[in-house]
Amino acid sequence: MSERTFVIIKPDAVRRGLVGAVLSRYETKGLRIVTLEQRRIDADLADRHYAEHVEQPWYPPLREFITSGPLVALVLEGDAAIDAVRGLNGATDGRRATPGSIRGDYSLSNRENLVHASDSPESSAREIGLWFPGLS
Ligand code: CDP
Ligand code: MG
């Protein structure tokens, strides 16, 4: 069944010139870009996006990182898109992510791991509403 998922190409990927390489993974998989925007976010949006993590000891440096420069926010659509994109992204810790995944190929960090993607239909709906409130 076709579904939508919310993705961030994080500031490390933008700084490293990997936006095209990352987008290419999603497009060649067969996912469609519904909307895409480069922007820089403030701490308030960071806290709302990462609401489930704000009490973690590692959240302050994550907030610092995610607000440190431009990122690319997008919505992807396709069959089972939520799980498909999580699979393409790979495990959270780039040092341990499987080679062939985006994080496994391009990241050696548990924080600067290039990408975010929604982990469930509920988080997808919440995140798309938060980042792209105008999207029907
Ligand atoms: O992004 P994902 O859903 O795979 O992982 P998460 O456990 O929901 O954590 C969200 C993000 O926090 C990660 O993608 C990392 O960028 C960051 N993180 C961190 O900075 N330090 C940790 N110990 C764990 C996660
Ligand atoms: Mg998560």
Side-chain angles (χ1 to χ4, degrees):
M1 200 188 76
S2 185
E3 60 185 13
R4 289 180 173 186
T5 189
F6 173 71
V7 170
I8 302 170
I9 303 176
K10 295 180 179 180
D12 55 334
V14 175
R15 274 194 285 274
R16 293 171 60 193
L18 293 172
V19 174
V22 170
L23 279 177
S24 182
R25 300 289 183 107
Y26 301 139
E27 285 197 298
T28 54
K29 181 70 173 173
L31 294 151
R32 187 178 77 85
I33 297 170
V34 177
T35 190
L36 178 151
E37 187 180 300
Q38 177 165 303
R39 54 168 110 156
R40 186 166 179 173
I41 66 163
D42 60 15
D44 181 61
L45 181 55
D47 292 355
R48 284 188 287 152
H49 174 74
Y50 281 124
E52 64 174 328
H53 296 316
V54 289
E55 302 302 331
Q56 296 293 329
W58 44 262
Y59 182 68
L62 173 60
R63 179 210 275 134
E64 193 65 32
F65 163 56
I66 205 71
T67 59
S68 67
L71 52 76
V72 175
L74 63 148
V75 175
L76 292 172
E77 185 174 75
D79 195 10
I82 295 169
D83 283 351
V85 173
R86 295 280 296 187
L88 290 171
N89 286 0
T92 303
D93 187 341
R95 297 168 298 190
R96 293 178 179 82
T98 308
S101 68
I102 293 167
R103 288 163 168 171
D105 284 353
Y106 297 123
S107 168
L108 199 62
S109 168
N110 196 27
R111 175 169 304 118
E112 302 205 5
N113 59 1
L114 300 147
V115 281
H116 162 86
S118 309
D119 62 8
S120 67
E122 294 70 32
S123 68
S124 170
R126 186 187 77 84
E127 292 168 5
I128 291 171
L130 181 62
W131 289 76
F132 293 106
L135 202 63
S136 58

